[in-house]
Amino acid sequence: MGRSLAIAYALALAAPGILLPAAAGASDRALPMHFELRLQGPPAACAGQCRLMIAASGAITAETPQDFETFAHDRNLSGAMMVLDSDGGSVHGAIKLGRAIRRLNLDTTVGRLIDLDGARQATPRASLSPHADCESMCAFVLLGGVHRVVPSQARVMVHQIWLGDRRNDPTAANYSAEDLVLVQRDIGRLAQYTVDMGGSIELLDLSLRIPPWEPMHTLTADETRRMHVATLEQPAPQAGATVASSSAATPVARLNGGATATEISERHWGVIDRAGSAVLARRHPLTVEGDEIGSFDLIVACGARAGNYHVSYIERRHDGDQSVIPARLASVDVTVGNLSTPLKVVSSERRSQPDELVTYAAGDAAASSIEAFAAAGSHSMVIGTRSFERKGALTKNGYFTTDIRLGNTGAQASLAQLTAACSGKALGDRAALTAPHTGSIASVK
């Protein structure tokens, strides 16, 4: 069996939290995609022209195309519409599924089917809710439809292709020449498929600009039309109602008790020596739609009170190809699961040599949040910033925003090392919180 069959490719999901969403049906989306046949209803709503609909919900796997072929066998699906609600998944599986949809001359849309109460019948009736997401490779499955509808309430989101077993912490992973060959081969296949289905190659270009540590890009109504993701302007057939503080002082953990300091790394979390204190740290590129505009260091130290860790954020930002340096940062937030910790922006100053904005922010995070992030398994945190607008900047709601997903490679062992160092500190051993001398931070690559 070739290596490409052993490695599951995926369009990486944005910022997967350590806690599953509480929304109803979230668990179904994590299961392999399954198919159910429904008839549009209630009958009075479609006036004798009720349409056959196929609910397609769940993750796209390598087996999904065969599962669909089995589902479609001996069924008359003429004129049917496939209703997609999926987080995406396998590149190969999505391409084969999309081609199967086109062979059967089906239409596609984004939504969820909600079963209606009533007498039992051979094909149950359901109403179509447009409140659904078609993420990652699902966007390319959508292209398989002869006619394609994207309701205004639905979201189609895209992201880069990445090796599925290395998407949780991509900057910490190793990649071989063979990995690059496999990824580029699949990009070629996806490009050919996109053109064959009548989509615009701009859709693939946009997808490949979004790295796996950034949130997925949600297509605008204009983009879905321009990239031929949607071919029909009218809404999809529907029936019935649709469902819609910073601490002033922190303890110092001395490098003793076996703690070994390392240099800060983009590849993993590690305990480093910061002015004689043991801290947990990680460096990461700062990007906007793949355009590198700087880097940041995230530093976790002992908290001033039990149950807290002190978090520092140090960023260097420069002009990008499509963005300019903002006036200053307005806010920095660290989110793990459903718990968000705002950091206080202590300083955000423009430097001339080199021309960059240097920002320092700090605050206390609950120990439970940091410990959950560093627990066994693949977890992540999202570092979000908002900057005051400067003329020419790409902005959202009056702010220039970034959201970077950071993985936990090396965090479990390193946090245990930091915790041991924290517990060994002398009573009353404190260090005042001041903005660090950022001039000594390594320049962005």
Side-chain angles (χ1 to χ4, degrees), residues 27-152:
S27 59
D28 292 341
R29 291 168 63 88
L31 297 174
M33 180 170 280
H34 59 282
F35 306 95
E36 296 178 348
L37 196 62
R38 296 290 186 267
L39 190 62
Q40 182 186 1
C46 38
Q49 298 181 353
C50 300
R51 191 167 191 182
L52 200 61
M53 299 183 292
I54 304 167
S57 177
I60 303 163
T61 69
E63 292 73 33
T64 297
Q66 183 56 54
D67 291 342
F68 177 64
E69 295 283 4
T70 301
F71 168 84
H73 185 65
D74 290 339
R75 279 190 167 101
N76 181 8
L77 301 180
S78 177
M81 171 175 277
M82 180 172 283
V83 182
L84 294 162
D85 180 26
S86 173
D87 291 341
S90 164
V91 171
H92 293 176
I95 291 175
K96 290 180 180 179
L97 178 59
R99 292 195 184 279
I101 292 170
R102 182 60 62 89
R103 280 197 305 272
L104 293 172
N105 293 316
L106 304 179
D107 295 339
T108 53
T109 189
V110 182
R112 291 168 45 241
L113 294 183
I114 303 172
D115 286 337
L116 299 174
D117 296 331
R120 293 188 177 182
Q121 47 193 318
T123 303
R125 288 188 178 271
S127 63
L128 175 57
S129 167
H131 296 275
D133 293 338
C134 184
E135 304 177 16
S136 182
M137 282 309 300
C138 176
F140 292 89
V141 174
L142 184 66
L143 291 180
V146 177
H147 303 103
R148 305 181 286 273
V149 177
V150 179
S152 59

Side-chain angles (χ1 to χ4, degrees), residues 335-379:
T335 303
V336 178
N338 57 4
L339 181 61
S340 183
T341 301
L343 304 183
K344 179 181 179 181
V345 177
V346 178
S347 64
S348 188
E349 302 172 354
R350 188 76 174 265
R351 305 288 174 86
S352 57
Q353 296 295 329
D355 187 16
E356 59 187 8
L357 180 70
V358 181
T359 300
Y360 173 67
D364 289 336
S368 58
S369 175
I370 301 299
E371 289 163 359
F373 166 71
S378 295
H379 307 303

Side-chain angles (χ1 to χ4, degrees), residues 28 55 99 123 136 145 155 174 182 220 230 247 299 389 394 424 434 439:
D28 292 341
R99 292 195 184 279
T123 303
S136 182
R155 296 189 302 177
N174 293 316
L182 295 175
T220 64
S247 173
I299 298 170
E389 179 183 358
L394 297 175
T434 57

Side-chain angles (χ1 to χ4, degrees), residues 18 269 280 336 367-377 379-381 408-416:
I18 62 168
W269 289 88
L280 179 64
V336 178
S368 58
S369 175
I370 301 299
E371 289 163 359
F373 166 71
H379 307 303
S380 61
M381 63 172 59
N408 69 343
T409 301
Q412 185 180 19
S414 297
L415 182 62

